[in-house]
Amino acid sequence: MNNNQMVDIIENVLHLKKKPVGIKVWKDKPKSVPEYQGNAFPGLCTQIGEILNGAKTFHTGPEHCFCTGGVVATGVAPPVPEEQKLELIEVHNSISKSYKNIETALCYEKQMAKRIPEVRERNTAVQIGLLGDIAEPDLILLFCTPGAADVLNRCYCYIAGEPIQGHGGNGGCPFLIQYPYVTKKPSFSYSDVAWRKYIGLSDEELTMSFPYQCILNFIDELPLIAETYRRYGEPVEA
């Protein structure tokens, strides 16, 4: 099954309002993919929004992002050094009022380090584009309603025999890019203010992130699982 066929099934079954987005991580900068031009504020979430609004696929890096969450999440940039973390927290807190004080922010960072595994590898670029435009992406982002998310969850459980981990916190990239990229497991989150605003999510939408292979494993089952889901509780035909 090619990616365009996959997109057709996902869109027809789940009735998504936004196109599925692919993310591909590169060890070396891809010569065949244009490099992002300009600086994105805050960062990867803005660039994802640009793709959804019609931009062609591109690759990006830390030089293009004010917030490095997305490039850190893919190993394209190292984690923020401890000596710079306090300054970065102060800047973010002045914009979003995420924490009541620095101590609370540092406590949050320690808790995140326990929950989100670190990227051990080092890469040079991350490509963003519509799923139909990226061959074998590392991750697929689906922007959907909770009902559609439940269908996807049931389809994944049907094949994998395990639940999907969900996250809530101050961020999108750690939960929806770093966690699934490192663990090779899917994730979902309502994300945070920046992810929601700059991607353009409606109040009814959340994000699910799947490693590419995960979706390949269950995509053929999705139509039947969705139909069974919608007919739940109806009498079973003999």
Side-chain angles (χ1 to χ4, degrees), residues 23-177:
I23 293 179
K24 187 178 180 101
V25 181
W26 292 86
K27 290 288 186 185
D28 300 301
K29 288 187 177 182
K31 296 180 180 179
S32 60
V33 180
E35 187 170 12
Y36 184 80
Q37 299 299 306
N39 297 297
F41 178 86
L44 211 69
C45 52
T46 298
Q47 294 170 326
I48 293 170
E50 291 175 10
I51 290 294
L52 290 171
N53 285 321
K56 300 296 184 182
T57 185
F58 54 76
H59 72 80
T60 187
E63 65 272 26
H64 305 121
C65 301
F66 169 76
C67 171
T68 58
V71 286
V72 169
T74 50
V76 177
V80 177
E82 289 299 322
E83 60 270 20
Q84 297 179 18
K85 187 169 291 185
L86 186 60
E87 179 183 358
L88 189 62
I89 288 173
E90 289 175 340
V91 171
H92 274 283
N93 213 33
S94 68
I95 297 172
S96 63
K97 307 299 287 185
S98 300
Y99 312 99
K100 68 176 183 179
N101 52 38
I102 295 299
E103 290 74 20
T104 307
L106 292 174
C107 179
Y108 178 87
E109 291 297 317
K110 289 180 181 179
Q111 293 300 317
M112 284 291 289
K114 296 177 183 178
R115 290 166 168 78
I116 307 299
E118 183 180 347
V119 183
R120 299 294 182 181
E121 63 194 64
R122 288 294 168 254
N123 301 301
T124 62
V126 54
Q127 181 184 355
I128 309 170
L130 296 181
L131 175 56
D133 296 334
I134 300 182
E136 298 185 2
D138 290 283
L139 300 174
I140 298 174
L141 301 180
L142 301 177
F143 309 103
C144 60
T145 64
D150 195 16
V151 173
L152 286 162
N153 167 70
R154 291 179 71 88
C155 201
Y156 176 78
C157 294
Y158 178 81
I159 293 296
E162 62 182 18
I164 295 178
Q165 179 71 51
H167 300 275
N170 291 335
C173 292
F175 306 130
L176 295 163
I177 298 178

Side-chain angles (χ1 to χ4, degrees), residues 4-15:
N4 287 323
Q5 292 171 321
M6 187 184 299
V7 170
D8 286 342
I9 292 174
I10 292 171
E11 291 183 339
N12 290 334
V13 171
L14 301 175
H15 310 295

